[in-house]
Amino acid sequence: MLTLFGSIAVSIMFRPYWLEQRSKWMVLVFAVGSGLTSIYSGLAGAYPITATEALWAIAALQRFVKRHREHMLAAPEFTG
């Protein structure tokens, strides 16, 4: 069951990594996948990978927040 969880986590992380230039949401999905991979590697006892994946998740979350803010600033304001 742990191997299945790890396979799903890495699969969630892999594709958005290649597509993150298309959408800020792909960056968020990559961050979630990295977080899940970090949890998996921690459960499997591979602690250096746990730390590395956690750092990837944090970096991706920061990228998502930055892109989201840039997108919100660039969007025209609705004055109704």
Side-chain angles (χ1 to χ4, degrees):
M1 189 60 134
L2 186 60
T3 302
L4 178 63
F5 174 70
S7 297
I8 292 170
V10 171
S11 296
I12 290 171
M13 186 181 70
F14 184 71
R15 187 161 186 198
Y17 177 78
W18 297 108
L19 298 175
E20 70 180 36
Q21 295 301 319
R22 294 185 182 196
S23 171
K24 65 183 177 186
W25 299 109
M26 289 294 124
V27 178
L28 184 60
V29 173
F30 175 75
V32 169
S34 294
L36 291 173
T37 302
S38 179
I39 292 169
Y40 163 71
S41 61
L43 292 172
Y47 302 115
I49 304 224
T50 301
T52 302
E53 290 300 331
L55 290 172
W56 272 110
I58 292 167
L61 281 174
Q62 288 177 336
R63 260 193 340 268
F64 171 76
V65 169
K66 180 181 175 190
R67 286 181 65 178
H68 182 68
R69 285 183 183 159
E70 289 171 354
H71 177 74
M72 295 307 280
L73 290 174
E77 202 172 300
F78 179 71
T79 56

